[in-house]
Amino acid sequence: MRNDRKTSTLKRVRRVSYLLDNAIPIPGTGYRIGLDPIIGLLPGGGDVLGTIISSYIVVEAARLGVSRSTLVEMVLNILLETVSGSIPVLGDLVDAAWKANVKNVELLEKELNVSSPPQKSDWLFLVLLLAGLAVVLLVAVGISFAIVAWVFTTITS
């Protein structure tokens, strides 16, 4: 991959990561949050949207030729955020603290700074990895809806 294309890809994924994890300063503290925990407040759909946007960084990492082990680590970061996001309120706090997208960009940059040449993208592996992420996401959303239904039934009974 040409260096200017790699540079523009890195700029894009850094921007996405910043927006999702660090765009909003919390007044009176040195801490920042992003749009990801705010999007996550939308029941069910917020976690889905956040996971889809976070997956973009993984797809771009694969296009840049990062190793399978790095792609797996990146998806595990997203999975932790996604699964915890299915827990009302607590999940949003974990989302604000874990910052999977920042971690994933750091993994990407760390691997690209290694002097070994990038690997050929293994698209089947990436598709299977993201399919696994989608299955876990659907289970997490199902759990979220089950919790909401249980709370609603308990309150209205």
mmCIF file of all heavy atoms in Angstrom, residues 1 18-19 30 33 55 59 61 85 89 93 103 110-111 113-114 127 146 148 152 154-155:
data_model
loop_
_atom_site.group_PDB
_atom_site.id
_atom_site.type_symbol
_atom_site.label_atom_id
_atom_site.label_comp_id
_atom_site.label_asym_id
_atom_site.label_seq_id
_atom_site.Cartn_x
_atom_site.Cartn_y
_atom_site.Cartn_z
ATOM 1 N N MET A 1 0.852 -1.179 0.000
ATOM 2 C CA MET A 1 0.000 0.000 0.000
ATOM 3 C C MET A 1 0.896 1.240 0.000
ATOM 4 O O MET A 1 1.881 1.296 0.723
ATOM 5 C CB MET A 1 -0.897 -0.015 1.240
ATOM 6 C CG MET A 1 -1.757 1.202 1.362
ATOM 7 S SD MET A 1 -2.920 1.134 2.728
ATOM 8 C CE MET A 1 -4.076 -0.021 2.086
ATOM 9 N N TYR A 18 -11.219 9.239 17.862
ATOM 10 C CA TYR A 18 -11.351 10.452 18.676
ATOM 11 C C TYR A 18 -12.822 10.803 18.891
ATOM 12 O O TYR A 18 -13.245 11.073 20.020
ATOM 13 C CB TYR A 18 -10.613 11.615 18.000
ATOM 14 C CG TYR A 18 -10.758 12.920 18.729
ATOM 15 C CD1 TYR A 18 -9.983 13.189 19.853
ATOM 16 C CD2 TYR A 18 -11.668 13.880 18.311
ATOM 17 C CE1 TYR A 18 -10.113 14.385 20.534
ATOM 18 C CE2 TYR A 18 -11.806 15.072 18.986
ATOM 19 C CZ TYR A 18 -11.026 15.329 20.106
ATOM 20 O OH TYR A 18 -11.178 16.508 20.782
ATOM 21 N N LEU A 19 -13.604 10.779 17.823
ATOM 22 C CA LEU A 19 -15.025 11.110 17.951
ATOM 23 C C LEU A 19 -15.760 10.127 18.864
ATOM 24 O O LEU A 19 -16.586 10.530 19.678
ATOM 25 C CB LEU A 19 -15.702 11.131 16.580
ATOM 26 C CG LEU A 19 -15.352 12.311 15.685
ATOM 27 C CD1 LEU A 19 -15.905 12.101 14.279
ATOM 28 C CD2 LEU A 19 -15.875 13.609 16.282
ATOM 29 N N GLY A 30 -9.880 16.292 33.875
ATOM 30 C CA GLY A 30 -9.027 16.107 32.710
ATOM 31 C C GLY A 30 -9.516 14.953 31.852
ATOM 32 O O GLY A 30 -8.824 14.521 30.942
ATOM 33 N N ILE A 33 -14.816 11.983 27.203
ATOM 34 C CA ILE A 33 -15.599 10.866 26.690
ATOM 35 C C ILE A 33 -15.890 11.154 25.222
ATOM 36 O O ILE A 33 -15.631 12.248 24.742
ATOM 37 C CB ILE A 33 -16.924 10.647 27.465
ATOM 38 C CG1 ILE A 33 -17.854 11.856 27.314
ATOM 39 C CG2 ILE A 33 -16.652 10.322 28.917
ATOM 40 C CD1 ILE A 33 -19.266 11.612 27.796
ATOM 41 N N SER A 55 -16.191 -1.294 14.197
ATOM 42 C CA SER A 55 -15.709 -2.331 13.274
ATOM 43 C C SER A 55 -15.012 -1.721 12.061
ATOM 44 O O SER A 55 -14.154 -2.361 11.440
ATOM 45 C CB SER A 55 -16.872 -3.208 12.813
ATOM 46 O OG SER A 55 -17.406 -3.906 13.906
ATOM 47 N N VAL A 59 -11.718 -3.125 9.975
ATOM 48 C CA VAL A 59 -11.684 -3.350 8.522
ATOM 49 C C VAL A 59 -10.509 -2.588 7.902
ATOM 50 O O VAL A 59 -9.755 -3.138 7.074
ATOM 51 C CB VAL A 59 -13.022 -2.943 7.868
ATOM 52 C CG1 VAL A 59 -12.924 -2.945 6.353
ATOM 53 C CG2 VAL A 59 -14.134 -3.864 8.335
ATOM 54 N N ALA A 61 -7.789 -1.697 9.407
ATOM 55 C CA ALA A 61 -6.557 -2.349 9.862
ATOM 56 C C ALA A 61 -6.251 -3.562 8.985
ATOM 57 O O ALA A 61 -5.097 -3.792 8.604
ATOM 58 C CB ALA A 61 -6.691 -2.762 11.325
ATOM 59 N N GLY A 85 -22.014 -3.268 27.232
ATOM 60 C CA GLY A 85 -23.029 -2.295 26.847
ATOM 61 C C GLY A 85 -24.443 -2.820 26.973
ATOM 62 O O GLY A 85 -25.402 -2.048 27.039
ATOM 63 N N VAL A 89 -26.954 1.178 32.113
ATOM 64 C CA VAL A 89 -26.200 2.163 32.874
ATOM 65 C C VAL A 89 -24.749 1.722 33.105
ATOM 66 O O VAL A 89 -23.828 2.422 32.702
ATOM 67 C CB VAL A 89 -26.884 2.535 34.218
ATOM 68 C CG1 VAL A 89 -26.092 3.609 34.944
ATOM 69 C CG2 VAL A 89 -28.313 3.006 33.983
ATOM 70 N N LEU A 93 -21.063 3.210 31.447
ATOM 71 C CA LEU A 93 -19.890 3.640 32.214
ATOM 72 C C LEU A 93 -18.637 2.899 31.752
ATOM 73 O O LEU A 93 -17.570 3.494 31.607
ATOM 74 C CB LEU A 93 -20.124 3.428 33.711
ATOM 75 C CG LEU A 93 -21.243 4.269 34.334
ATOM 76 C CD1 LEU A 93 -21.473 3.872 35.784
ATOM 77 C CD2 LEU A 93 -20.926 5.751 34.224
ATOM 78 N N LYS A 103 -7.787 2.088 21.997
ATOM 79 C CA LYS A 103 -6.920 0.913 22.126
ATOM 80 C C LYS A 103 -6.646 0.290 20.758
ATOM 81 O O LYS A 103 -5.521 -0.109 20.464
ATOM 82 C CB LYS A 103 -7.556 -0.119 23.061
ATOM 83 C CG LYS A 103 -7.625 0.313 24.512
ATOM 84 C CD LYS A 103 -8.318 -0.752 25.344
ATOM 85 C CE LYS A 103 -8.558 -0.333 26.758
ATOM 86 N NZ LYS A 103 -7.419 0.125 27.498
ATOM 87 N N LYS A 110 0.996 0.597 16.527
ATOM 88 C CA LYS A 110 2.125 -0.197 17.043
ATOM 89 C C LYS A 110 2.578 -1.213 15.991
ATOM 90 O O LYS A 110 3.773 -1.363 15.739
ATOM 91 C CB LYS A 110 1.719 -0.908 18.334
ATOM 92 C CG LYS A 110 2.802 -1.755 18.941
ATOM 93 C CD LYS A 110 2.300 -2.417 20.213
ATOM 94 C CE LYS A 110 3.313 -3.417 20.733
ATOM 95 N NZ LYS A 110 2.775 -4.195 21.844
ATOM 96 N N GLU A 111 1.632 -1.899 15.380
ATOM 97 C CA GLU A 111 2.001 -2.898 14.383
ATOM 98 C C GLU A 111 2.578 -2.255 13.131
ATOM 99 O O GLU A 111 3.509 -2.787 12.531
ATOM 100 C CB GLU A 111 0.822 -3.785 14.024
ATOM 101 C CG GLU A 111 1.246 -4.849 13.049
ATOM 102 C CD GLU A 111 0.422 -6.107 13.094
ATOM 103 O OE1 GLU A 111 -0.149 -6.433 14.143
ATOM 104 O OE2 GLU A 111 0.376 -6.768 12.055
ATOM 105 N N ASN A 113 4.336 0.365 12.931
ATOM 106 C CA ASN A 113 5.679 0.875 13.191
ATOM 107 C C ASN A 113 6.730 -0.230 13.195
ATOM 108 O O ASN A 113 7.910 0.054 13.173
ATOM 109 C CB ASN A 113 5.721 1.633 14.518
ATOM 110 C CG ASN A 113 5.046 2.986 14.416
ATOM 111 O OD1 ASN A 113 4.988 3.572 13.354
ATOM 112 N ND2 ASN A 113 4.525 3.465 15.524
ATOM 113 N N VAL A 114 6.280 -1.480 13.227
ATOM 114 C CA VAL A 114 7.201 -2.604 13.156
ATOM 115 C C VAL A 114 7.782 -2.636 11.749
ATOM 116 O O VAL A 114 7.080 -2.388 10.770
ATOM 117 C CB VAL A 114 6.465 -3.930 13.492
ATOM 118 C CG1 VAL A 114 7.368 -5.121 13.309
ATOM 119 C CG2 VAL A 114 5.928 -3.871 14.908
ATOM 120 N N VAL A 127 -13.899 -11.580 7.597
ATOM 121 C CA VAL A 127 -15.354 -11.766 7.531
ATOM 122 C C VAL A 127 -15.818 -12.686 8.664
ATOM 123 O O VAL A 127 -16.812 -12.408 9.340
ATOM 124 C CB VAL A 127 -15.776 -12.313 6.150
ATOM 125 C CG1 VAL A 127 -17.203 -12.809 6.158
ATOM 126 C CG2 VAL A 127 -15.591 -11.239 5.086
ATOM 127 N N ALA A 146 -34.415 -8.566 26.705
ATOM 128 C CA ALA A 146 -34.974 -9.465 27.720
ATOM 129 C C ALA A 146 -34.997 -8.795 29.087
ATOM 130 O O ALA A 146 -35.978 -8.910 29.836
ATOM 131 C CB ALA A 146 -34.180 -10.773 27.769
ATOM 132 N N VAL A 148 -35.080 -5.520 29.666
ATOM 133 C CA VAL A 148 -36.105 -4.466 29.614
ATOM 134 C C VAL A 148 -37.500 -5.072 29.728
ATOM 135 O O VAL A 148 -38.360 -4.572 30.465
ATOM 136 C CB VAL A 148 -35.953 -3.615 28.330
ATOM 137 C CG1 VAL A 148 -37.149 -2.705 28.129
ATOM 138 C CG2 VAL A 148 -34.669 -2.813 28.374
ATOM 139 N N PHE A 152 -40.147 -4.381 32.709
ATOM 140 C CA PHE A 152 -41.475 -3.887 32.362
ATOM 141 C C PHE A 152 -42.550 -4.805 32.914
ATOM 142 O O PHE A 152 -43.534 -4.343 33.502
ATOM 143 C CB PHE A 152 -41.607 -3.747 30.840
ATOM 144 C CG PHE A 152 -42.921 -3.186 30.412
ATOM 145 C CD1 PHE A 152 -43.196 -1.827 30.563
ATOM 146 C CD2 PHE A 152 -43.896 -3.999 29.849
ATOM 147 C CE1 PHE A 152 -44.425 -1.318 30.175
ATOM 148 C CE2 PHE A 152 -45.105 -3.492 29.471
ATOM 149 C CZ PHE A 152 -45.385 -2.145 29.629
ATOM 150 N N THR A 154 -42.275 -6.918 35.411
ATOM 151 C CA THR A 154 -42.232 -6.851 36.881
ATOM 152 C C THR A 154 -42.933 -5.591 37.386
ATOM 153 O O THR A 154 -43.672 -5.656 38.360
ATOM 154 C CB THR A 154 -40.770 -6.873 37.378
ATOM 155 O OG1 THR A 154 -40.126 -8.046 36.863
ATOM 156 C CG2 THR A 154 -40.700 -6.850 38.878
ATOM 157 N N ILE A 155 -42.716 -4.481 36.729
ATOM 158 C CA ILE A 155 -43.324 -3.220 37.157
ATOM 159 C C ILE A 155 -44.845 -3.233 36.925
ATOM 160 O O ILE A 155 -45.600 -2.751 37.755
ATOM 161 C CB ILE A 155 -42.672 -2.034 36.409
ATOM 162 C CG1 ILE A 155 -41.239 -1.853 36.900
ATOM 163 C CG2 ILE A 155 -43.462 -0.749 36.624
ATOM 164 C CD1 ILE A 155 -40.447 -0.843 36.104
#
